[in-house]
Amino acid sequence: MIKQVSIECCGQHEVCEKDSLLAAVSKDVEYYEDEELDRFRGRAGNEYAPDEVEEFREVLYTMRTDEVAGWVRSLQLRYVNLPDELKDEVFLIVGERRENT
């Protein structure tokens, strides 16, 4: 006999998921007006040309800070690696947002 257990939400799931950079948190792909970045699917983070890094940077800095973690999760789910040059900037933005919430 299989027993179903109801797990109640602790009320923090939305916050935790919103601030998490891990793709495992959510399997829903959400686009941030960045469909053009799908052409980089499978490329390593250290293989981007400077102008390609700028494409990612433009998307990053045109979104709200509360969207950045979701954007990174979206890229992961789409197998688009963030350029290495932007990783520190992303961690800084997400870290500052966590400190301010």
mmCIF file of all heavy atoms in Angstrom, residues 42-68:
data_model
loop_
_atom_site.group_PDB
_atom_site.id
_atom_site.type_symbol
_atom_site.label_atom_id
_atom_site.label_comp_id
_atom_site.label_asym_id
_atom_site.label_seq_id
_atom_site.Cartn_x
_atom_site.Cartn_y
_atom_site.Cartn_z
ATOM 1 N N GLY A 42 25.517 24.791 -25.824
ATOM 2 C CA GLY A 42 26.616 23.836 -25.816
ATOM 3 C C GLY A 42 28.006 24.448 -25.844
ATOM 4 O O GLY A 42 28.999 23.741 -25.700
ATOM 5 N N ARG A 43 28.105 25.739 -26.004
ATOM 6 C CA ARG A 43 29.420 26.384 -26.032
ATOM 7 C C ARG A 43 29.946 26.550 -24.607
ATOM 8 O O ARG A 43 29.204 26.903 -23.693
ATOM 9 C CB ARG A 43 29.329 27.753 -26.708
ATOM 10 C CG ARG A 43 30.728 28.349 -26.910
ATOM 11 C CD ARG A 43 30.734 29.671 -27.579
ATOM 12 N NE ARG A 43 30.177 29.624 -28.933
ATOM 13 C CZ ARG A 43 30.230 30.655 -29.763
ATOM 14 N NH1 ARG A 43 30.799 31.781 -29.393
ATOM 15 N NH2 ARG A 43 29.707 30.569 -30.960
ATOM 16 N N ALA A 44 31.213 26.310 -24.416
ATOM 17 C CA ALA A 44 31.838 26.459 -23.100
ATOM 18 C C ALA A 44 31.915 27.935 -22.724
ATOM 19 O O ALA A 44 31.996 28.811 -23.591
ATOM 20 C CB ALA A 44 33.229 25.840 -23.088
ATOM 21 N N GLY A 45 31.905 28.211 -21.422
ATOM 22 C CA GLY A 45 31.915 29.574 -20.919
ATOM 23 C C GLY A 45 33.147 30.374 -21.287
ATOM 24 O O GLY A 45 33.129 31.599 -21.267
ATOM 25 N N ASN A 46 34.227 29.676 -21.637
ATOM 26 C CA ASN A 46 35.471 30.380 -21.989
ATOM 27 C C ASN A 46 35.684 30.484 -23.497
ATOM 28 O O ASN A 46 36.761 30.867 -23.937
ATOM 29 C CB ASN A 46 36.669 29.684 -21.348
ATOM 30 C CG ASN A 46 36.873 28.264 -21.848
ATOM 31 O OD1 ASN A 46 36.047 27.730 -22.585
ATOM 32 N ND2 ASN A 46 37.958 27.652 -21.431
ATOM 33 N N GLU A 47 34.660 30.188 -24.278
ATOM 34 C CA GLU A 47 34.798 30.185 -25.742
ATOM 35 C C GLU A 47 34.065 31.326 -26.436
ATOM 36 O O GLU A 47 33.853 31.279 -27.643
ATOM 37 C CB GLU A 47 34.284 28.855 -26.306
ATOM 38 C CG GLU A 47 35.088 27.648 -25.868
ATOM 39 C CD GLU A 47 34.535 26.356 -26.439
ATOM 40 O OE1 GLU A 47 33.378 26.328 -26.909
ATOM 41 O OE2 GLU A 47 35.267 25.354 -26.380
ATOM 42 N N TYR A 48 33.704 32.360 -25.697
ATOM 43 C CA TYR A 48 32.959 33.463 -26.311
ATOM 44 C C TYR A 48 33.889 34.580 -26.765
ATOM 45 O O TYR A 48 34.847 34.917 -26.076
ATOM 46 C CB TYR A 48 31.941 34.037 -25.314
ATOM 47 C CG TYR A 48 30.798 33.108 -25.009
ATOM 48 C CD1 TYR A 48 30.786 32.362 -23.838
ATOM 49 C CD2 TYR A 48 29.737 32.967 -25.881
ATOM 50 C CE1 TYR A 48 29.741 31.503 -23.545
ATOM 51 C CE2 TYR A 48 28.687 32.110 -25.609
ATOM 52 C CZ TYR A 48 28.703 31.377 -24.440
ATOM 53 O OH TYR A 48 27.665 30.527 -24.158
ATOM 54 N N ALA A 49 33.565 35.155 -27.902
ATOM 55 C CA ALA A 49 34.271 36.332 -28.396
ATOM 56 C C ALA A 49 33.771 37.547 -27.607
ATOM 57 O O ALA A 49 32.664 37.525 -27.062
ATOM 58 C CB ALA A 49 33.993 36.519 -29.886
ATOM 59 N N PRO A 50 34.565 38.616 -27.551
ATOM 60 C CA PRO A 50 34.150 39.804 -26.791
ATOM 61 C C PRO A 50 32.772 40.352 -27.182
ATOM 62 O O PRO A 50 31.992 40.741 -26.307
ATOM 63 C CB PRO A 50 35.254 40.819 -27.092
ATOM 64 C CG PRO A 50 36.463 39.981 -27.360
ATOM 65 C CD PRO A 50 35.935 38.755 -28.078
ATOM 66 N N ASP A 51 32.451 40.373 -28.465
ATOM 67 C CA ASP A 51 31.148 40.886 -28.872
ATOM 68 C C ASP A 51 30.010 39.963 -28.434
ATOM 69 O O ASP A 51 28.905 40.424 -28.152
ATOM 70 C CB ASP A 51 31.101 41.142 -30.387
ATOM 71 C CG ASP A 51 31.360 39.899 -31.215
ATOM 72 O OD1 ASP A 51 32.239 39.097 -30.841
ATOM 73 O OD2 ASP A 51 30.682 39.720 -32.246
ATOM 74 N N GLU A 52 30.272 38.663 -28.329
ATOM 75 C CA GLU A 52 29.261 37.721 -27.859
ATOM 76 C C GLU A 52 29.031 37.887 -26.350
ATOM 77 O O GLU A 52 27.890 37.829 -25.879
ATOM 78 C CB GLU A 52 29.684 36.291 -28.187
ATOM 79 C CG GLU A 52 29.716 36.033 -29.672
ATOM 80 C CD GLU A 52 30.385 34.714 -30.057
ATOM 81 O OE1 GLU A 52 31.208 34.190 -29.275
ATOM 82 O OE2 GLU A 52 30.071 34.216 -31.156
ATOM 83 N N VAL A 53 30.104 38.141 -25.618
ATOM 84 C CA VAL A 53 29.981 38.416 -24.181
ATOM 85 C C VAL A 53 29.108 39.648 -23.979
ATOM 86 O O VAL A 53 28.256 39.690 -23.078
ATOM 87 C CB VAL A 53 31.368 38.604 -23.523
ATOM 88 C CG1 VAL A 53 31.234 39.052 -22.076
ATOM 89 C CG2 VAL A 53 32.192 37.331 -23.617
ATOM 90 N N GLU A 54 29.289 40.642 -24.829
ATOM 91 C CA GLU A 54 28.496 41.870 -24.723
ATOM 92 C C GLU A 54 27.009 41.613 -24.959
ATOM 93 O O GLU A 54 26.164 42.296 -24.383
ATOM 94 C CB GLU A 54 29.027 42.946 -25.666
ATOM 95 C CG GLU A 54 30.322 43.565 -25.201
ATOM 96 C CD GLU A 54 30.246 44.097 -23.774
ATOM 97 O OE1 GLU A 54 29.284 44.826 -23.427
ATOM 98 O OE2 GLU A 54 31.157 43.772 -22.987
ATOM 99 N N GLU A 55 26.681 40.639 -25.803
ATOM 100 C CA GLU A 55 25.270 40.285 -26.006
ATOM 101 C C GLU A 55 24.653 39.806 -24.697
ATOM 102 O O GLU A 55 23.538 40.197 -24.342
ATOM 103 C CB GLU A 55 25.128 39.191 -27.065
ATOM 104 C CG GLU A 55 25.316 39.656 -28.477
ATOM 105 C CD GLU A 55 25.036 38.551 -29.469
ATOM 106 O OE1 GLU A 55 23.887 38.038 -29.481
ATOM 107 O OE2 GLU A 55 25.958 38.194 -30.221
ATOM 108 N N PHE A 56 25.380 38.942 -23.993
ATOM 109 C CA PHE A 56 24.905 38.455 -22.700
ATOM 110 C C PHE A 56 24.829 39.604 -21.696
ATOM 111 O O PHE A 56 23.861 39.719 -20.940
ATOM 112 C CB PHE A 56 25.840 37.370 -22.150
ATOM 113 C CG PHE A 56 25.662 36.022 -22.775
ATOM 114 C CD1 PHE A 56 26.328 35.691 -23.949
ATOM 115 C CD2 PHE A 56 24.862 35.056 -22.181
ATOM 116 C CE1 PHE A 56 26.194 34.435 -24.518
ATOM 117 C CE2 PHE A 56 24.717 33.806 -22.740
ATOM 118 C CZ PHE A 56 25.376 33.487 -23.913
ATOM 119 N N ARG A 57 25.845 40.443 -21.673
ATOM 120 C CA ARG A 57 25.895 41.571 -20.731
ATOM 121 C C ARG A 57 24.714 42.519 -20.968
ATOM 122 O O ARG A 57 24.111 43.025 -20.025
ATOM 123 C CB ARG A 57 27.222 42.314 -20.862
ATOM 124 C CG ARG A 57 27.394 43.419 -19.823
ATOM 125 C CD ARG A 57 28.779 44.034 -19.827
ATOM 126 N NE ARG A 57 29.695 43.198 -19.052
ATOM 127 C CZ ARG A 57 30.788 42.610 -19.533
ATOM 128 N NH1 ARG A 57 31.136 42.780 -20.800
ATOM 129 N NH2 ARG A 57 31.557 41.879 -18.770
ATOM 130 N N GLU A 58 24.382 42.750 -22.226
ATOM 131 C CA GLU A 58 23.252 43.622 -22.545
ATOM 132 C C GLU A 58 21.956 43.069 -21.965
ATOM 133 O O GLU A 58 21.152 43.806 -21.383
ATOM 134 C CB GLU A 58 23.122 43.800 -24.058
ATOM 135 C CG GLU A 58 22.002 44.735 -24.447
ATOM 136 C CD GLU A 58 21.919 44.944 -25.949
ATOM 137 O OE1 GLU A 58 22.936 44.841 -26.637
ATOM 138 O OE2 GLU A 58 20.804 45.220 -26.413
ATOM 139 N N VAL A 59 21.745 41.763 -22.118
ATOM 140 C CA VAL A 59 20.549 41.138 -21.547
ATOM 141 C C VAL A 59 20.584 41.267 -20.023
ATOM 142 O O VAL A 59 19.602 41.661 -19.392
ATOM 143 C CB VAL A 59 20.428 39.651 -21.961
ATOM 144 C CG1 VAL A 59 19.281 38.973 -21.220
ATOM 145 C CG2 VAL A 59 20.251 39.524 -23.470
ATOM 146 N N LEU A 60 21.737 40.952 -19.418
ATOM 147 C CA LEU A 60 21.885 40.996 -17.971
ATOM 148 C C LEU A 60 21.522 42.363 -17.406
ATOM 149 O O LEU A 60 20.776 42.475 -16.432
ATOM 150 C CB LEU A 60 23.320 40.627 -17.588
ATOM 151 C CG LEU A 60 23.708 40.779 -16.117
ATOM 152 C CD1 LEU A 60 22.872 39.856 -15.233
ATOM 153 C CD2 LEU A 60 25.196 40.508 -15.941
ATOM 154 N N TYR A 61 22.027 43.413 -18.014
ATOM 155 C CA TYR A 61 21.828 44.743 -17.461
ATOM 156 C C TYR A 61 20.553 45.442 -17.922
ATOM 157 O O TYR A 61 20.310 46.584 -17.555
ATOM 158 C CB TYR A 61 23.063 45.611 -17.696
ATOM 159 C CG TYR A 61 24.171 45.193 -16.757
ATOM 160 C CD1 TYR A 61 25.250 44.446 -17.217
ATOM 161 C CD2 TYR A 61 24.111 45.505 -15.405
ATOM 162 C CE1 TYR A 61 26.254 44.031 -16.350
ATOM 163 C CE2 TYR A 61 25.106 45.094 -14.531
ATOM 164 C CZ TYR A 61 26.169 44.363 -15.008
ATOM 165 O OH TYR A 61 27.152 43.942 -14.142
ATOM 166 N N THR A 62 19.729 44.759 -18.705
ATOM 167 C CA THR A 62 18.426 45.321 -19.056
ATOM 168 C C THR A 62 17.307 44.668 -18.260
ATOM 169 O O THR A 62 16.146 45.035 -18.430
ATOM 170 C CB THR A 62 18.136 45.186 -20.568
ATOM 171 O OG1 THR A 62 18.203 43.809 -20.939
ATOM 172 C CG2 THR A 62 19.103 46.012 -21.382
ATOM 173 N N MET A 63 17.643 43.710 -17.390
ATOM 174 C CA MET A 63 16.609 43.069 -16.574
ATOM 175 C C MET A 63 16.680 43.583 -15.140
ATOM 176 O O MET A 63 17.680 44.182 -14.738
ATOM 177 C CB MET A 63 16.740 41.543 -16.619
ATOM 178 C CG MET A 63 17.993 40.974 -15.996
ATOM 179 S SD MET A 63 18.045 39.173 -16.038
ATOM 180 C CE MET A 63 18.012 38.847 -17.774
ATOM 181 N N ARG A 64 15.600 43.344 -14.413
ATOM 182 C CA ARG A 64 15.574 43.708 -12.996
ATOM 183 C C ARG A 64 16.473 42.749 -12.228
ATOM 184 O O ARG A 64 16.652 41.599 -12.621
ATOM 185 C CB ARG A 64 14.147 43.615 -12.450
ATOM 186 C CG ARG A 64 13.170 44.569 -13.116
ATOM 187 C CD ARG A 64 11.795 44.518 -12.451
ATOM 188 N NE ARG A 64 11.405 43.204 -11.975
ATOM 189 C CZ ARG A 64 10.510 42.414 -12.564
ATOM 190 N NH1 ARG A 64 9.907 42.811 -13.667
ATOM 191 N NH2 ARG A 64 10.198 41.248 -12.049
ATOM 192 N N THR A 65 17.021 43.204 -11.120
ATOM 193 C CA THR A 65 17.927 42.358 -10.331
ATOM 194 C C THR A 65 17.227 41.113 -9.804
ATOM 195 O O THR A 65 17.863 40.068 -9.653
ATOM 196 C CB THR A 65 18.555 43.125 -9.157
ATOM 197 O OG1 THR A 65 17.518 43.642 -8.317
ATOM 198 C CG2 THR A 65 19.440 44.253 -9.650
ATOM 199 N N ASP A 66 15.918 41.192 -9.570
ATOM 200 C CA ASP A 66 15.203 40.017 -9.073
ATOM 201 C C ASP A 66 14.967 38.976 -10.167
ATOM 202 O O ASP A 66 14.498 37.874 -9.884
ATOM 203 C CB ASP A 66 13.889 40.411 -8.399
ATOM 204 C CG ASP A 66 12.890 41.052 -9.350
ATOM 205 O OD1 ASP A 66 13.302 41.725 -10.306
ATOM 206 O OD2 ASP A 66 11.681 40.881 -9.113
ATOM 207 N N GLU A 67 15.298 39.275 -11.400
ATOM 208 C CA GLU A 67 15.150 38.328 -12.503
ATOM 209 C C GLU A 67 16.448 37.586 -12.833
ATOM 210 O O GLU A 67 16.427 36.600 -13.569
ATOM 211 C CB GLU A 67 14.686 39.057 -13.776
ATOM 212 C CG GLU A 67 13.328 39.684 -13.673
ATOM 213 C CD GLU A 67 12.962 40.474 -14.917
ATOM 214 O OE1 GLU A 67 13.836 41.166 -15.483
ATOM 215 O OE2 GLU A 67 11.794 40.393 -15.315
ATOM 216 N N VAL A 68 17.569 38.034 -12.300
ATOM 217 C CA VAL A 68 18.874 37.505 -12.715
ATOM 218 C C VAL A 68 19.016 36.013 -12.403
ATOM 219 O O VAL A 68 19.441 35.230 -13.251
ATOM 220 C CB VAL A 68 20.032 38.322 -12.099
ATOM 221 C CG1 VAL A 68 21.378 37.685 -12.409
ATOM 222 C CG2 VAL A 68 19.990 39.756 -12.624
#
